[in-house]
Amino acid sequence: MDGSRKEFIHKTVAMLKEAETSLPVDVMAALQNALNAETNERAREQIKAMLENVKFAGNKGLPICQDTGTPIFYVHVGRSANIDFDVKHALYIAVQKATEVIPLRKNAVHPLTRELEDKPLLDVIYEIAEGDQIVVDLLVKGAGSENASMLKMLNPSADIRKFVLETIVAAGGKPCPPIIEGVGVGSTFNGCAWLAKKALFQSLNKEHTLLEERLLKDINSLGIGPMGLGGDTTALKVFVEMADCHTASLPVAVNIQCWANRRASFEMGR
Amino acid sequence: MPPVESAIHAIGDELFSLETPIKISNIKKLHVGDLTFISGVIYTARDKAHAKIRRNRAHLPFNLEGGCIYHSGPIIIQTNEKYRVVAAGPTTSARMNEYVPDVIKLGVRAIIGKGGLSDRAVEVMKGRCIYLAFTGGCGALAQRAIVDVLQIYYPELGETEAVWKLKVKNFGPLIVAIDSNGRSLYKDVENYSHRKLHELLG
């Protein structure tokens, strides 16, 4: 059915536009709360610039950041959804369109030659869900924060908190703090990385667990602050996702997202 | 935003705005932690542009004497023969650490970026150049302060990696993160966070 493919592409382009040119309400509220609580004057200037930037970008319909990132599509396919088109190809076409109309930066290069590839860059993860709908969640991920992310196969007796905090200290101002941190604990090498990334799709309004609360408190005591220039606000949120793992393993992944936590979603019925 | 009419303006007790070409005497007036803005001409340069500047340093098509380099890979599109800036926030400066001595030799007096530079780069900058931190992710604020796209150099590197000569007015807010005395805000923060980490893991 060509109509549903067209609708899907149209909705994906609109979702990309929303994500790239605005921030979700929960992220704006978290930044505003951070500004109110921040005691460091320089840090306050940084957060004020962030808030002003988002407002200005929104009014002008411009991307918040010139690193328009890699769009990560988390596609939930309903068990009885009737999809008769190539979803990955439709997403590819949508990113290509969005790159022209928003516009987005062409970020794809060959990994070895580093030559610019004239094609869109995207990541797609599928999950089978209940129902007859297709739900697409989008996370836009810049390179600065992705580059500061880390995965380690720890010794089962090792200290997870130590690895998490060391990763944040090593990252300093590079991932554009205040960050949102996704921590994956358990599963397998690849499963753990996905747990950490999946965590970042969540609303910042979600309540912290005790472990998350403790990690957030520790991270914010490090004094790194917005953009690594010092301050009380290094992280806005910590999400920990866990899964069982092999008795001899302890995979831990820290996936860092910048303050410009660009997310959007859409759903499409049968 | 503060008005900028001459080389330097005192705004309140602390705020000075820079204008290009930048005089050494003016960068010496700025200290770590100060808030500032810049007006005049700035040149964008990322990894590939720096490599090219190093290779072609004897015959550059632009003059960096008293100049300002901006670590940024902007989105700039061409419509009807005219360039339009879409977004132009800063990129991570650490990737350009090894090129700092090259641009200093060419007379660069200010580097705008995010995340800071290595100890070695800071050492080379002493007395000659300052580092100004611009808030990461603020591509739209940067766009607002760019009043004209004057020229593109090395277009073969692509729009992101090319050198763009930009006319800016009150570009910022910028924080003096490395001053001409070689004091680095990042170093202070790094030392503090390492000490804190040690305490936490005790």
Side-chain angles (χ1 to χ4, degrees):
Chain A
M1 201 162 59
D2 196 40
S4 61
R5 182 178 179 272
K6 261 192 187 151
E7 187 192 346
F8 184 87
I9 292 172
H10 178 78
K11 285 189 163 171
T12 305
V13 173
M15 172 176 68
L16 280 159
K17 170 99 183 177
E18 183 195 335
E20 295 280 5
T21 60
S22 66
L23 281 185
V25 177
D26 57 283
V27 181
M28 287 302 273
L31 285 168
Q32 188 60 54
N33 290 342
L35 176 64
N36 297 344
E38 181 60 66
T39 59
N40 180 312
E41 217 24 68
R42 272 195 308 274
R44 289 176 52 83
E45 285 299 330
Q46 298 300 305
I47 303 171
K48 274 192 224 163
M50 291 164 188
L51 289 166
E52 197 185 337
N53 180 67
V54 177
K55 279 177 201 146
F56 183 72
N59 288 341
K60 296 270 175 180
L62 294 170
I64 293 169
C65 180
Q66 79 293 337
D67 185 359
T68 52
T70 306
I72 322 275
F73 295 101
Y74 184 11
V75 185
H76 312 259
V77 184
R79 283 203 298 178
S80 42
N82 180 15
I83 301 157
D84 53 4
F85 59 90
D86 180 344
V87 170
K88 188 156 187 180
H89 187 256
L91 289 171
Y92 184 96
I93 297 295
V95 175
Q96 206 164 34
K97 270 194 179 175
T99 304
E100 295 306 319
V101 299
I102 297 176
L104 305 178
R105 197 170 76 181
K106 293 185 176 91
N107 279 334
V109 300
H110 185 279
L112 299 182
T113 67
R114 310 305 295 178
E115 292 288 327
L116 195 65
E117 305 263 29
D118 195 17
K119 59 186 183 193
L121 187 65
L122 63 157
D123 192 7
V124 187
I125 292 106
Y126 299 100
E127 196 168 87
I128 303 296
E130 292 303 316
D132 57 6
Q133 288 200 320
I134 179 163
V135 179
V136 183
D137 292 334
L138 167 67
L139 176 71
V140 173
K141 204 72 184 59
S145 61
E146 197 76 345
N147 286 347
S149 300
M150 204 66 96
L151 186 149
K152 200 167 181 186
M153 304 303 283
L154 294 183
N155 193 311
S157 64
D159 183 0
I160 292 168
R161 178 169 160 262
K162 180 170 183 279
F163 172 66
V164 170
L165 295 178
E166 281 173 352
T167 301
I168 301 303
V169 168
K174 290 196 274 287
C176 290
I179 56 168
I180 294 97
E181 188 183 68
V183 183
V185 181
S187 185
T188 55
F189 185 80
N190 60 298
C192 180
W194 170 235
L195 285 176
K197 179 144 283 159
K198 188 165 82 169
L200 298 175
F201 281 85
Q202 300 173 95
S203 162
L204 305 192
N205 292 334
K206 191 191 160 204
E207 252 179 70
H208 271 131
T209 62
L210 280 175
L211 174 63
E212 290 165 341
E213 192 65 50
R214 183 176 179 210
L215 284 172
L216 181 70
K217 199 164 159 260
D218 285 348
I219 290 168
N220 283 333
S221 76
L222 293 169
I224 295 166
M227 296 314 301
L229 296 166
D232 313 316
T233 322
T234 303
L236 297 174
K237 196 82 177 175
V238 177
F239 292 118
V240 180
E241 288 285 312
M242 285 192 250
D244 290 347
C245 58
H246 190 283
T247 178
S249 293
L250 179 55
V252 179
V254 175
N255 197 192
I256 301 175
Q257 171 70 322
C258 58
W259 67 264
N261 183 21
R262 290 155 285 177
R263 309 183 330 256
S265 294
F266 77 85
E267 50 183 62
M268 224 171 92
R270 207 155 34 154
Chain B
M1 263 193 226
V4 178
E5 285 131 23
S6 63
I8 234 169
H9 279 264
I11 313 279
D13 288 320
E14 290 159 31
L15 188 64
F16 291 92
S17 287
L18 282 172
E19 195 162 290
T20 64
I22 301 164
K23 290 189 196 135
I24 288 209
S25 57
N26 285 349
I27 62 172
K28 288 191 173 164
K29 291 178 186 163
L30 290 165
H31 301 284
V32 134
D34 286 353
L35 187 69
T36 189
F37 291 84
I38 194 163
S39 295
V41 170
I42 63 174
Y43 295 87
T44 69
R46 264 169 131 254
D47 318 49
K48 284 182 189 169
H50 273 85
K52 196 140 184 171
I53 288 170
R54 176 186 278 177
R55 275 200 308 278
N56 297 347
R57 59 186 176 274
H59 34 81
L60 286 183
F62 42 86
N63 181 10
L64 292 177
E65 190 61 48
C68 174
I69 290 250
Y70 179 30
H71 293 160
S72 175
I75 309 176
I76 299 179
I77 56 165
Q78 200 173 2
T79 42
N80 309 325
E81 309 272 306
K82 188 115 180 72
Y83 288 115
R84 185 170 75 88
V85 181
V86 177
T91 195
T92 305
S93 297
R95 296 199 316 274
M96 271 62 78
N97 276 333
E98 61 161 311
Y99 298 108
V100 170
D102 299 294
V103 299
I104 299 287
K105 273 187 209 137
L106 292 164
V108 168
R109 301 265 179 265
I111 295 171
I112 305 173
K114 74 172 178 87
L117 294 164
S118 66
D119 293 351
R120 200 174 145 255
V122 173
E123 196 53 41
V124 177
M125 287 163 67
K126 258 189 199 167
R128 299 195 273 183
C129 183
I130 53 170
Y131 180 86
L132 306 167
F134 185 49
T135 314
C138 289
L141 279 193
Q143 189 267 1
R144 189 171 69 178
I146 297 168
V147 292
D148 203 3
V149 178
L150 300 174
Q151 184 89 41
I152 176 172
Y153 301 100
Y154 308 145
E156 66 277 12
L157 299 179
E159 292 101 341
T160 305
E161 298 277 347
V163 171
W164 293 93
K165 183 181 184 181
L166 305 171
K167 191 176 174 200
V168 297
K169 191 163 184 222
N170 294 330
F171 189 91
L174 305 165
I175 299 272
V176 180
I178 300 167
D179 67 19
S180 60
N181 295 320
R183 197 167 152 215
S184 163
L185 203 51
Y186 298 104
K187 198 74 201 166
D188 294 353
V189 171
E190 191 187 313
N191 289 340
Y192 180 86
S193 65
H194 275 98
R195 213 168 49 238
K196 264 307 211 194
L197 179 68
H198 199 74
E199 276 172 37
L200 285 172
L201 300 176

